[in-house]
């Protein structure tokens, strides 16, 4: 956890310790922290977010939160680590993006093009059901 400093240990949760640095990454975003256990987070509260990030939650909690997020069009990120092993999951549902490219026709002429694309993300439930 890059944003948790030695002076935070035992005094602040990882979420609270990370909040100022996360806010600094995008000053236009409103970063908030939910205290308490992820499994106690009510669906009505989750609906108020654009993005939900959860760490250290059980599989059943991650599944429930991703189901809520997917149903309400909310981006979902889940991460966990266990010693040398870690997992990270992203559910952006259907994500649109564009790629801008510049091509030189000759030394004096440059042509720009933009190509749109869409990525379809599976739900956590679908990803866990895949035959890896």
């Amino acid at each position: 956890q890059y944003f948790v400093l030695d002076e935070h240990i035992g005094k602040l949760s990882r979420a609270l310790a990370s909040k100022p640095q996360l806010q600094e990454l995008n000053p236009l975003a409103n970063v908030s922290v939910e205290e308490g256990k992820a499994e106690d987070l009510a669906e009505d509260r989750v609906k108020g977010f654009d993005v939900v990030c959860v760490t250290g939650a059980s599989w059943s909690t991650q599944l429930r939160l991703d189901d809520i997020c997917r149903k309400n069009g909310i981006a979902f990120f889940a991460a966990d680590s266990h010693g040398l092993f870690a997992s990270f999951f992203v559910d952006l549902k259907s994500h649109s993006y564009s790629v801008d490219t510049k091509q030189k026709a000759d030394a004096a002429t440059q042509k720009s093009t933009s190509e749109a694309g869409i990525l379809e993300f599976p739900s956590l439930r679908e990803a866990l059901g895949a035959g890896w």
Side-chain angles (χ1 to χ4, degrees):
Q1 185 37 279
Y2 298 107
F3 295 144
V4 178
L5 305 175
D6 287 341
E7 61 261 22
H8 296 143
I9 297 172
K11 296 177 185 155
L12 294 174
S13 66
R14 284 183 294 174
L16 282 174
S18 302
K19 184 180 183 248
Q21 292 88 342
L22 290 172
Q23 184 67 67
E24 207 173 291
L25 291 173
N26 186 350
L28 300 177
N30 179 23
V31 177
S32 64
V33 172
E34 287 295 309
E35 292 288 352
K37 296 180 180 181
E39 56 264 19
D40 297 334
L41 195 55
E43 182 170 349
D44 286 342
R45 183 66 181 132
V46 174
K47 288 180 184 180
F49 297 110
D50 295 319
V51 177
V52 170
C53 302
V54 63
T55 61
S58 67
W59 284 114
S60 61
T61 297
Q62 290 180 40
L63 286 165
R64 183 181 71 83
L65 290 174
D66 185 46
D67 289 344
I68 293 168
C69 289
R70 182 163 272 272
K71 182 171 76 174
N72 291 284
I74 301 165
F76 178 78
F77 295 81
D80 214 347
S81 64
H82 305 278
L84 296 175
F85 302 98
S87 64
F88 189 75
F89 177 78
V90 177
D91 184 356
L92 299 178
K93 286 87 182 131
S94 182
H95 179 69
S96 302
Y97 66 94
S98 65
V99 176
D100 296 330
T101 57
K102 295 179 182 179
Q103 301 169 339
K104 283 190 175 185
D106 56 44
T109 310
Q110 188 168 307
K111 179 182 171 187
S112 295
T113 60
S114 182
E115 186 176 320
I118 297 177
L119 285 175
E120 299 293 335
F121 286 76
S123 69
L124 179 57
R125 199 170 297 283
E126 291 168 329
L128 290 175
W132 299 97

